[in-house]
mmCIF file of all heavy atoms in Angstrom:
data_model
loop_
_atom_site.group_PDB
_atom_site.id
_atom_site.type_symbol
_atom_site.label_atom_id
_atom_site.label_comp_id
_atom_site.label_asym_id
_atom_site.label_seq_id
_atom_site.Cartn_x
_atom_site.Cartn_y
_atom_site.Cartn_z
ATOM 1 N N LYS A 44 94.901 84.868 91.457
ATOM 2 C CA LYS A 44 95.905 84.278 92.343
ATOM 3 C C LYS A 44 97.123 83.902 91.495
ATOM 4 O O LYS A 44 96.983 83.545 90.321
ATOM 5 C CB LYS A 44 95.310 83.020 92.994
ATOM 6 C CG LYS A 44 96.286 82.207 93.828
ATOM 7 C CD LYS A 44 96.751 82.930 95.061
ATOM 8 C CE LYS A 44 97.774 82.106 95.852
ATOM 9 N NZ LYS A 44 98.366 82.890 96.966
ATOM 10 N N SER A 45 98.317 83.980 92.075
ATOM 11 C CA SER A 45 99.510 83.542 91.351
ATOM 12 C C SER A 45 99.375 82.059 91.020
ATOM 13 O O SER A 45 99.104 81.241 91.891
ATOM 14 C CB SER A 45 100.761 83.753 92.208
ATOM 15 O OG SER A 45 101.008 85.126 92.355
ATOM 16 N N ASN A 54 99.588 75.271 101.692
ATOM 17 C CA ASN A 54 100.139 74.801 102.965
ATOM 18 C C ASN A 54 99.024 74.389 103.930
ATOM 19 O O ASN A 54 97.875 74.788 103.765
ATOM 20 C CB ASN A 54 100.992 75.915 103.600
ATOM 21 C CG ASN A 54 102.278 76.163 102.827
ATOM 22 O OD1 ASN A 54 102.778 75.283 102.131
ATOM 23 N ND2 ASN A 54 102.817 77.366 102.947
ATOM 24 N N ASN A 68 100.510 85.552 106.681
ATOM 25 C CA ASN A 68 100.041 84.376 105.943
ATOM 26 C C ASN A 68 101.190 83.548 105.428
ATOM 27 O O ASN A 68 102.290 84.057 105.186
ATOM 28 C CB ASN A 68 99.146 84.797 104.759
ATOM 29 C CG ASN A 68 99.963 85.118 103.522
ATOM 30 O OD1 ASN A 68 100.360 84.219 102.772
ATOM 31 N ND2 ASN A 68 100.238 86.385 103.301
ATOM 32 N N SER A 69 100.889 82.273 105.308
ATOM 33 C CA SER A 69 101.784 81.378 104.577
ATOM 34 C C SER A 69 100.905 80.406 103.813
ATOM 35 O O SER A 69 100.757 79.241 104.182
ATOM 36 C CB SER A 69 102.720 80.628 105.528
ATOM 37 O OG SER A 69 103.620 79.846 104.770
ATOM 38 N N MET A 70 100.281 80.937 102.762
ATOM 39 C CA MET A 70 99.275 80.169 102.027
ATOM 40 C C MET A 70 99.906 79.013 101.258
ATOM 41 O O MET A 70 99.318 77.931 101.158
ATOM 42 C CB MET A 70 98.526 81.084 101.053
ATOM 43 C CG MET A 70 97.867 82.304 101.705
ATOM 44 S SD MET A 70 96.712 81.870 103.005
ATOM 45 C CE MET A 70 95.370 81.209 102.033
ATOM 46 N N GLY A 71 101.078 79.233 100.705
ATOM 47 C CA GLY A 71 101.738 78.177 99.933
ATOM 48 C C GLY A 71 101.166 77.993 98.540
ATOM 49 O O GLY A 71 101.106 76.877 98.022
ATOM 50 N N LEU A 72 100.749 79.119 97.940
ATOM 51 C CA LEU A 72 100.287 79.127 96.547
ATOM 52 C C LEU A 72 99.148 78.153 96.233
ATOM 53 O O LEU A 72 99.209 77.415 95.249
ATOM 54 C CB LEU A 72 101.478 78.838 95.593
ATOM 55 C CG LEU A 72 102.458 79.975 95.381
ATOM 56 C CD1 LEU A 72 103.707 79.482 94.632
ATOM 57 C CD2 LEU A 72 101.814 81.115 94.596
ATOM 58 N N PRO A 73 98.087 78.163 97.052
ATOM 59 C CA PRO A 73 96.913 77.371 96.646
ATOM 60 C C PRO A 73 96.333 77.992 95.374
ATOM 61 O O PRO A 73 96.080 79.196 95.341
ATOM 62 C CB PRO A 73 95.945 77.528 97.827
ATOM 63 C CG PRO A 73 96.345 78.817 98.472
ATOM 64 C CD PRO A 73 97.826 78.967 98.249
ATOM 65 N N ASN A 124 105.251 87.176 89.202
ATOM 66 C CA ASN A 124 105.466 87.273 90.648
ATOM 67 C C ASN A 124 106.851 86.732 91.001
ATOM 68 O O ASN A 124 107.073 85.521 90.997
ATOM 69 C CB ASN A 124 104.366 86.475 91.365
ATOM 70 C CG ASN A 124 104.486 86.575 92.860
ATOM 71 O OD1 ASN A 124 105.388 87.213 93.402
ATOM 72 N ND2 ASN A 124 103.564 85.933 93.558
ATOM 73 N N SER A 126 108.182 87.122 93.909
ATOM 74 C CA SER A 126 108.282 87.377 95.347
ATOM 75 C C SER A 126 107.357 86.552 96.218
ATOM 76 O O SER A 126 106.821 87.064 97.189
ATOM 77 C CB SER A 126 108.026 88.861 95.590
ATOM 78 O OG SER A 126 106.917 89.310 94.819
ATOM 79 N N CYS A 127 107.209 85.265 95.929
ATOM 80 C CA CYS A 127 106.452 84.443 96.875
ATOM 81 C C CYS A 127 107.369 83.979 97.997
ATOM 82 O O CYS A 127 108.335 83.261 97.753
ATOM 83 C CB CYS A 127 105.827 83.228 96.204
ATOM 84 S SG CYS A 127 104.953 82.227 97.434
ATOM 85 N N PRO A 128 107.063 84.379 99.242
ATOM 86 C CA PRO A 128 107.968 84.065 100.340
ATOM 87 C C PRO A 128 107.627 82.780 101.089
ATOM 88 O O PRO A 128 108.291 82.454 102.070
ATOM 89 C CB PRO A 128 107.766 85.268 101.279
ATOM 90 C CG PRO A 128 106.329 85.658 101.079
ATOM 91 C CD PRO A 128 105.968 85.278 99.666
ATOM 92 N N ASN A 129 106.627 82.033 100.637
ATOM 93 C CA ASN A 129 106.053 81.005 101.517
ATOM 94 C C ASN A 129 106.246 79.563 101.094
ATOM 95 O O ASN A 129 105.589 78.681 101.632
ATOM 96 C CB ASN A 129 104.552 81.271 101.670
ATOM 97 C CG ASN A 129 104.273 82.605 102.336
ATOM 98 O OD1 ASN A 129 105.109 83.103 103.089
ATOM 99 N ND2 ASN A 129 103.119 83.181 102.060
ATOM 100 N N ILE A 130 107.114 79.301 100.129
ATOM 101 C CA ILE A 130 107.313 77.910 99.738
ATOM 102 C C ILE A 130 108.525 77.383 100.508
ATOM 103 O O ILE A 130 109.650 77.864 100.312
ATOM 104 C CB ILE A 130 107.540 77.779 98.212
ATOM 105 C CG1 ILE A 130 106.379 78.430 97.448
ATOM 106 C CG2 ILE A 130 107.678 76.314 97.816
ATOM 107 C CD1 ILE A 130 105.001 77.872 97.739
ATOM 108 N N LYS A 161 106.062 91.779 89.889
ATOM 109 C CA LYS A 161 105.740 92.065 91.292
ATOM 110 C C LYS A 161 106.951 91.737 92.144
ATOM 111 O O LYS A 161 107.460 90.611 92.125
ATOM 112 C CB LYS A 161 104.531 91.259 91.759
ATOM 113 C CG LYS A 161 104.117 91.654 93.185
ATOM 114 C CD LYS A 161 102.669 91.349 93.447
ATOM 115 C CE LYS A 161 102.244 91.746 94.836
ATOM 116 N NZ LYS A 161 100.881 91.273 95.133
ATOM 117 N N ASN A 190 105.114 93.026 97.368
ATOM 118 C CA ASN A 190 104.537 91.805 97.900
ATOM 119 C C ASN A 190 104.631 91.864 99.418
ATOM 120 O O ASN A 190 105.203 92.803 99.982
ATOM 121 C CB ASN A 190 105.283 90.594 97.350
ATOM 122 C CG ASN A 190 104.362 89.392 97.251
ATOM 123 O OD1 ASN A 190 103.641 89.083 98.203
ATOM 124 N ND2 ASN A 190 104.367 88.734 96.120
ATOM 125 N N SER A 191 104.094 90.836 100.072
ATOM 126 C CA SER A 191 104.111 90.842 101.538
ATOM 127 C C SER A 191 105.551 90.925 102.058
ATOM 128 O O SER A 191 106.499 90.534 101.377
ATOM 129 C CB SER A 191 103.405 89.604 102.078
ATOM 130 O OG SER A 191 103.867 88.461 101.416
HETATM 131 C C1 LIG B 1 101.807 83.376 98.359
HETATM 132 C C2 LIG B 1 102.163 84.485 99.066
HETATM 133 C C3 LIG B 1 102.741 85.533 98.391
HETATM 134 O O1 LIG B 1 103.091 86.671 99.033
HETATM 135 C C4 LIG B 1 102.948 85.429 97.033
HETATM 136 O O2 LIG B 1 103.529 86.417 96.363
HETATM 137 C C5 LIG B 1 102.564 84.332 96.345
HETATM 138 C C6 LIG B 1 101.987 83.298 97.012
HETATM 139 C C7 LIG B 1 101.248 82.207 99.020
HETATM 140 O O3 LIG B 1 101.727 81.813 100.076
HETATM 141 O O4 LIG B 1 100.318 81.597 98.447
#
Side-chain angles (χ1 to χ4, degrees):
K44 174 67 182 172
S45 291
N54 290 335
N68 86 82
S69 184
M70 304 303 288
L72 285 170
N124 182 359
S126 44
C127 178
N129 297 334
I130 305 301
K161 185 156 181 188
N190 210 312
S191 48

